[in-house]
mmCIF file of all heavy atoms in Angstrom:
data_model
loop_
_atom_site.group_PDB
_atom_site.id
_atom_site.type_symbol
_atom_site.label_atom_id
_atom_site.label_comp_id
_atom_site.label_asym_id
_atom_site.label_seq_id
_atom_site.Cartn_x
_atom_site.Cartn_y
_atom_site.Cartn_z
ATOM 1 N N VAL A 56 -9.045 -10.424 -14.857
ATOM 2 C CA VAL A 56 -8.450 -10.146 -13.543
ATOM 3 C C VAL A 56 -9.523 -9.423 -12.748
ATOM 4 O O VAL A 56 -9.997 -8.375 -13.154
ATOM 5 C CB VAL A 56 -7.161 -9.304 -13.667
ATOM 6 C CG1 VAL A 56 -6.688 -8.861 -12.285
ATOM 7 C CG2 VAL A 56 -6.076 -10.096 -14.392
ATOM 8 N N ILE A 57 -9.932 -10.022 -11.629
ATOM 9 C CA ILE A 57 -11.014 -9.472 -10.810
ATOM 10 C C ILE A 57 -10.521 -8.917 -9.491
ATOM 11 O O ILE A 57 -11.314 -8.365 -8.719
ATOM 12 C CB ILE A 57 -12.104 -10.528 -10.547
ATOM 13 C CG1 ILE A 57 -11.538 -11.731 -9.807
ATOM 14 C CG2 ILE A 57 -12.769 -10.918 -11.855
ATOM 15 C CD1 ILE A 57 -12.575 -12.666 -9.239
ATOM 16 N N GLY A 58 -9.226 -9.069 -9.212
ATOM 17 C CA GLY A 58 -8.729 -8.583 -7.938
ATOM 18 C C GLY A 58 -7.253 -8.849 -7.773
ATOM 19 O O GLY A 58 -6.555 -9.291 -8.685
ATOM 20 N N ALA A 59 -6.789 -8.571 -6.572
ATOM 21 C CA ALA A 59 -5.377 -8.776 -6.213
ATOM 22 C C ALA A 59 -5.315 -9.324 -4.801
ATOM 23 O O ALA A 59 -6.250 -9.152 -3.996
ATOM 24 C CB ALA A 59 -4.634 -7.459 -6.317
ATOM 25 N N TYR A 60 -4.203 -9.968 -4.519
ATOM 26 C CA TYR A 60 -3.973 -10.418 -3.140
ATOM 27 C C TYR A 60 -2.575 -10.019 -2.708
ATOM 28 O O TYR A 60 -1.687 -9.777 -3.532
ATOM 29 C CB TYR A 60 -4.168 -11.933 -3.004
ATOM 30 C CG TYR A 60 -3.096 -12.797 -3.610
ATOM 31 C CD1 TYR A 60 -1.997 -13.239 -2.847
ATOM 32 C CD2 TYR A 60 -3.166 -13.208 -4.922
ATOM 33 C CE1 TYR A 60 -1.019 -14.048 -3.419
ATOM 34 C CE2 TYR A 60 -2.200 -14.006 -5.497
ATOM 35 C CZ TYR A 60 -1.117 -14.435 -4.737
ATOM 36 O OH TYR A 60 -0.145 -15.226 -5.278
ATOM 37 N N HIS A 61 -2.423 -9.878 -1.409
ATOM 38 C CA HIS A 61 -1.098 -9.680 -0.824
ATOM 39 C C HIS A 61 -1.130 -10.229 0.605
ATOM 40 O O HIS A 61 -2.196 -10.578 1.108
ATOM 41 C CB HIS A 61 -0.673 -8.209 -0.872
ATOM 42 C CG HIS A 61 -1.370 -7.327 0.127
ATOM 43 N ND1 HIS A 61 -2.661 -6.838 -0.080
ATOM 44 C CD2 HIS A 61 -0.965 -6.822 1.312
ATOM 45 C CE1 HIS A 61 -2.995 -6.092 0.967
ATOM 46 N NE2 HIS A 61 -1.984 -6.057 1.824
ATOM 47 N N SER A 62 0.025 -10.314 1.192
ATOM 48 C CA SER A 62 0.084 -10.906 2.541
ATOM 49 C C SER A 62 0.431 -9.860 3.592
ATOM 50 O O SER A 62 1.028 -8.828 3.302
ATOM 51 C CB SER A 62 1.098 -12.044 2.586
ATOM 52 O OG SER A 62 2.408 -11.565 2.316
ATOM 53 N N HIS A 63 0.003 -10.176 4.802
ATOM 54 C CA HIS A 63 0.441 -9.483 5.993
ATOM 55 C C HIS A 63 1.181 -10.580 6.803
ATOM 56 O O HIS A 63 0.532 -11.316 7.550
ATOM 57 C CB HIS A 63 -0.730 -8.918 6.779
ATOM 58 C CG HIS A 63 -1.332 -7.688 6.164
ATOM 59 N ND1 HIS A 63 -2.349 -6.989 6.770
ATOM 60 C CD2 HIS A 63 -1.072 -7.018 5.018
ATOM 61 C CE1 HIS A 63 -2.687 -5.962 6.019
ATOM 62 N NE2 HIS A 63 -1.915 -5.960 4.944
ATOM 63 N N PRO A 64 2.492 -10.692 6.595
ATOM 64 C CA PRO A 64 3.237 -11.829 7.142
ATOM 65 C C PRO A 64 3.139 -12.020 8.649
ATOM 66 O O PRO A 64 3.179 -13.172 9.120
ATOM 67 C CB PRO A 64 4.689 -11.544 6.739
ATOM 68 C CG PRO A 64 4.578 -10.612 5.582
ATOM 69 C CD PRO A 64 3.328 -9.807 5.809
ATOM 70 N N ALA A 65 3.011 -10.972 9.408
ATOM 71 C CA ALA A 65 3.045 -11.107 10.861
ATOM 72 C C ALA A 65 1.799 -10.585 11.552
ATOM 73 O O ALA A 65 1.783 -10.440 12.771
ATOM 74 C CB ALA A 65 4.286 -10.393 11.418
ATOM 75 N N SER A 66 0.740 -10.314 10.785
ATOM 76 C CA SER A 66 -0.457 -9.752 11.432
ATOM 77 C C SER A 66 -1.731 -10.327 10.800
ATOM 78 O O SER A 66 -1.672 -11.093 9.840
ATOM 79 C CB SER A 66 -0.456 -8.231 11.315
ATOM 80 O OG SER A 66 -0.534 -7.825 9.969
ATOM 81 N N ALA A 67 -2.855 -9.898 11.336
ATOM 82 C CA ALA A 67 -4.159 -10.370 10.852
ATOM 83 C C ALA A 67 -4.420 -9.857 9.438
ATOM 84 O O ALA A 67 -3.862 -8.839 9.025
ATOM 85 C CB ALA A 67 -5.245 -9.873 11.798
ATOM 86 N N PRO A 68 -5.276 -10.558 8.694
ATOM 87 C CA PRO A 68 -5.589 -10.128 7.324
ATOM 88 C C PRO A 68 -6.631 -9.026 7.254
ATOM 89 O O PRO A 68 -7.728 -9.171 6.723
ATOM 90 C CB PRO A 68 -6.091 -11.427 6.687
ATOM 91 C CG PRO A 68 -6.738 -12.166 7.808
ATOM 92 C CD PRO A 68 -5.915 -11.835 9.032
ATOM 93 N N THR A 69 -6.263 -7.904 7.855
ATOM 94 C CA THR A 69 -7.131 -6.724 7.908
ATOM 95 C C THR A 69 -6.477 -5.602 7.115
ATOM 96 O O THR A 69 -5.277 -5.404 7.238
ATOM 97 C CB THR A 69 -7.318 -6.268 9.372
ATOM 98 O OG1 THR A 69 -7.787 -7.366 10.138
ATOM 99 C CG2 THR A 69 -8.288 -5.124 9.485
ATOM 100 N N PRO A 70 -7.230 -4.861 6.295
ATOM 101 C CA PRO A 70 -6.602 -3.801 5.500
ATOM 102 C C PRO A 70 -5.932 -2.753 6.369
ATOM 103 O O PRO A 70 -6.514 -2.272 7.347
ATOM 104 C CB PRO A 70 -7.775 -3.193 4.725
ATOM 105 C CG PRO A 70 -8.833 -4.205 4.754
ATOM 106 C CD PRO A 70 -8.665 -4.977 6.034
ATOM 107 N N SER A 71 -4.721 -2.402 5.995
ATOM 108 C CA SER A 71 -4.014 -1.322 6.684
ATOM 109 C C SER A 71 -4.493 0.014 6.125
ATOM 110 O O SER A 71 -5.173 0.067 5.108
ATOM 111 C CB SER A 71 -2.502 -1.466 6.454
ATOM 112 O OG SER A 71 -2.196 -1.260 5.079
ATOM 113 N N ASP A 72 -4.093 1.088 6.766
ATOM 114 C CA ASP A 72 -4.436 2.424 6.267
ATOM 115 C C ASP A 72 -3.912 2.622 4.845
ATOM 116 O O ASP A 72 -4.596 3.189 3.996
ATOM 117 C CB ASP A 72 -3.898 3.505 7.194
ATOM 118 C CG ASP A 72 -4.624 3.552 8.531
ATOM 119 O OD1 ASP A 72 -5.737 2.997 8.629
ATOM 120 O OD2 ASP A 72 -4.061 4.134 9.484
ATOM 121 N N SER A 73 -2.692 2.124 4.598
ATOM 122 C CA SER A 73 -2.134 2.295 3.244
ATOM 123 C C SER A 73 -2.862 1.404 2.234
ATOM 124 O O SER A 73 -3.058 1.813 1.083
ATOM 125 C CB SER A 73 -0.618 2.035 3.223
ATOM 126 O OG SER A 73 -0.343 0.723 3.627
ATOM 127 N N ASP A 74 -3.303 0.209 2.638
ATOM 128 C CA ASP A 74 -4.094 -0.647 1.736
ATOM 129 C C ASP A 74 -5.351 0.095 1.286
ATOM 130 O O ASP A 74 -5.699 0.084 0.104
ATOM 131 C CB ASP A 74 -4.505 -1.948 2.429
ATOM 132 C CG ASP A 74 -3.371 -2.902 2.694
ATOM 133 O OD1 ASP A 74 -2.326 -2.808 2.020
ATOM 134 O OD2 ASP A 74 -3.528 -3.750 3.596
ATOM 135 N N ILE A 75 -6.018 0.726 2.231
ATOM 136 C CA ILE A 75 -7.264 1.438 1.935
ATOM 137 C C ILE A 75 -6.982 2.673 1.073
ATOM 138 O O ILE A 75 -7.659 2.903 0.056
ATOM 139 C CB ILE A 75 -7.993 1.818 3.238
ATOM 140 C CG1 ILE A 75 -8.408 0.551 3.996
ATOM 141 C CG2 ILE A 75 -9.189 2.722 2.963
ATOM 142 C CD1 ILE A 75 -8.813 0.787 5.432
ATOM 143 N N ALA A 76 -5.985 3.450 1.439
ATOM 144 C CA ALA A 76 -5.660 4.687 0.726
ATOM 145 C C ALA A 76 -5.197 4.417 -0.716
ATOM 146 O O ALA A 76 -5.466 5.230 -1.611
ATOM 147 C CB ALA A 76 -4.598 5.465 1.477
ATOM 148 N N GLU A 77 -4.525 3.299 -0.945
ATOM 149 C CA GLU A 77 -3.937 3.034 -2.250
ATOM 150 C C GLU A 77 -4.805 2.112 -3.128
ATOM 151 O O GLU A 77 -4.386 1.721 -4.208
ATOM 152 C CB GLU A 77 -2.538 2.446 -2.074
ATOM 153 C CG GLU A 77 -1.597 3.448 -1.422
ATOM 154 C CD GLU A 77 -0.271 2.843 -1.017
ATOM 155 O OE1 GLU A 77 0.021 1.686 -1.399
ATOM 156 O OE2 GLU A 77 0.484 3.542 -0.318
ATOM 157 N N ALA A 78 -5.999 1.792 -2.675
ATOM 158 C CA ALA A 78 -6.884 0.904 -3.437
ATOM 159 C C ALA A 78 -7.428 1.670 -4.643
ATOM 160 O O ALA A 78 -8.257 2.552 -4.506
ATOM 161 C CB ALA A 78 -8.034 0.420 -2.550
ATOM 162 N N THR A 79 -6.960 1.295 -5.826
ATOM 163 C CA THR A 79 -7.354 1.991 -7.037
ATOM 164 C C THR A 79 -7.962 1.074 -8.094
ATOM 165 O O THR A 79 -8.083 1.466 -9.259
ATOM 166 C CB THR A 79 -6.148 2.729 -7.661
ATOM 167 O OG1 THR A 79 -5.135 1.760 -7.976
ATOM 168 C CG2 THR A 79 -5.594 3.786 -6.721
ATOM 169 N N GLY A 80 -8.323 -0.137 -7.710
ATOM 170 C CA GLY A 80 -8.804 -1.108 -8.678
ATOM 171 C C GLY A 80 -10.217 -0.883 -9.173
ATOM 172 O O GLY A 80 -10.604 -1.475 -10.170
ATOM 173 N N GLY A 81 -10.990 -0.085 -8.489
ATOM 174 C CA GLY A 81 -12.368 0.141 -8.885
ATOM 175 C C GLY A 81 -13.345 -0.523 -7.935
ATOM 176 O O GLY A 81 -12.976 -1.318 -7.079
ATOM 177 N N ARG A 82 -14.627 -0.225 -8.101
ATOM 178 C CA ARG A 82 -15.629 -0.633 -7.112
ATOM 179 C C ARG A 82 -15.860 -2.149 -7.066
ATOM 180 O O ARG A 82 -16.276 -2.676 -6.062
ATOM 181 C CB ARG A 82 -16.928 0.131 -7.290
ATOM 182 C CG ARG A 82 -17.811 -0.258 -8.427
ATOM 183 C CD ARG A 82 -19.150 0.520 -8.372
ATOM 184 N NE ARG A 82 -20.139 -0.118 -7.548
ATOM 185 C CZ ARG A 82 -20.465 0.201 -6.299
ATOM 186 N NH1 ARG A 82 -19.870 1.170 -5.698
ATOM 187 N NH2 ARG A 82 -21.416 -0.436 -5.653
ATOM 188 N N ASP A 83 -15.578 -2.878 -8.144
ATOM 189 C CA ASP A 83 -15.775 -4.312 -8.157
ATOM 190 C C ASP A 83 -14.466 -5.097 -8.097
ATOM 191 O O ASP A 83 -14.439 -6.287 -8.399
ATOM 192 C CB ASP A 83 -16.567 -4.735 -9.398
ATOM 193 C CG ASP A 83 -18.009 -4.252 -9.333
ATOM 194 O OD1 ASP A 83 -18.563 -4.143 -8.219
ATOM 195 O OD2 ASP A 83 -18.564 -3.966 -10.404
ATOM 196 N N PHE A 84 -13.390 -4.442 -7.730
ATOM 197 C CA PHE A 84 -12.081 -5.074 -7.644
ATOM 198 C C PHE A 84 -11.929 -5.670 -6.242
ATOM 199 O O PHE A 84 -12.047 -4.966 -5.256
ATOM 200 C CB PHE A 84 -10.981 -4.049 -7.915
ATOM 201 C CG PHE A 84 -9.653 -4.634 -8.281
ATOM 202 C CD1 PHE A 84 -9.415 -5.103 -9.559
ATOM 203 C CD2 PHE A 84 -8.642 -4.695 -7.359
ATOM 204 C CE1 PHE A 84 -8.173 -5.615 -9.904
ATOM 205 C CE2 PHE A 84 -7.385 -5.194 -7.690
ATOM 206 C CZ PHE A 84 -7.163 -5.670 -8.974
ATOM 207 N N LEU A 85 -11.689 -6.957 -6.178
ATOM 208 C CA LEU A 85 -11.585 -7.692 -4.928
ATOM 209 C C LEU A 85 -10.156 -7.656 -4.383
ATOM 210 O O LEU A 85 -9.219 -7.938 -5.116
ATOM 211 C CB LEU A 85 -12.001 -9.158 -5.148
ATOM 212 C CG LEU A 85 -11.887 -10.117 -3.965
ATOM 213 C CD1 LEU A 85 -12.815 -9.702 -2.824
ATOM 214 C CD2 LEU A 85 -12.199 -11.530 -4.437
ATOM 215 N N TYR A 86 -10.030 -7.305 -3.128
ATOM 216 C CA TYR A 86 -8.742 -7.322 -2.453
ATOM 217 C C TYR A 86 -8.734 -8.446 -1.422
ATOM 218 O O TYR A 86 -9.625 -8.506 -0.581
ATOM 219 C CB TYR A 86 -8.483 -5.982 -1.742
ATOM 220 C CG TYR A 86 -8.278 -4.839 -2.704
ATOM 221 C CD1 TYR A 86 -9.362 -4.107 -3.162
ATOM 222 C CD2 TYR A 86 -7.019 -4.523 -3.177
ATOM 223 C CE1 TYR A 86 -9.193 -3.071 -4.053
ATOM 224 C CE2 TYR A 86 -6.829 -3.488 -4.084
ATOM 225 C CZ TYR A 86 -7.934 -2.767 -4.511
ATOM 226 O OH TYR A 86 -7.757 -1.750 -5.419
ATOM 227 N N VAL A 87 -7.752 -9.315 -1.542
ATOM 228 C CA VAL A 87 -7.612 -10.425 -0.590
ATOM 229 C C VAL A 87 -6.316 -10.237 0.165
ATOM 230 O O VAL A 87 -5.264 -9.940 -0.430
ATOM 231 C CB VAL A 87 -7.648 -11.794 -1.322
ATOM 232 C CG1 VAL A 87 -7.297 -12.932 -0.358
ATOM 233 C CG2 VAL A 87 -9.014 -12.022 -1.957
ATOM 234 N N ILE A 88 -6.398 -10.432 1.468
ATOM 235 C CA ILE A 88 -5.211 -10.359 2.326
ATOM 236 C C ILE A 88 -5.012 -11.727 2.965
ATOM 237 O O ILE A 88 -5.951 -12.317 3.496
ATOM 238 C CB ILE A 88 -5.343 -9.251 3.398
ATOM 239 C CG1 ILE A 88 -5.591 -7.899 2.719
ATOM 240 C CG2 ILE A 88 -4.095 -9.201 4.259
ATOM 241 C CD1 ILE A 88 -5.897 -6.773 3.671
ATOM 242 N N VAL A 89 -3.781 -12.197 2.917
ATOM 243 C CA VAL A 89 -3.413 -13.518 3.394
ATOM 244 C C VAL A 89 -2.499 -13.356 4.610
ATOM 245 O O VAL A 89 -1.551 -12.579 4.580
ATOM 246 C CB VAL A 89 -2.668 -14.294 2.286
ATOM 247 C CG1 VAL A 89 -2.280 -15.670 2.757
ATOM 248 C CG2 VAL A 89 -3.503 -14.345 1.019
#
């Protein structure tokens, strides 16, 4: 497992403040927003 994805159903695929604050996967963990 190299990362995780989640969606922003009504907005652009840009990390929210909570996405950034709660990112705990590590330095090489890929986050994808759909």
Side-chain angles (χ1 to χ4, degrees):
V56 172
I57 60 166
Y60 72 92
H61 74 281
S62 63
H63 285 184
S66 64
T69 306
S71 66
D72 290 342
S73 61
D74 291 337
I75 296 166
E77 296 171 10
T79 59
R82 76 174 273 100
D83 291 329
F84 198 78
L85 176 64
Y86 292 88
V87 172
I88 302 174
V89 180

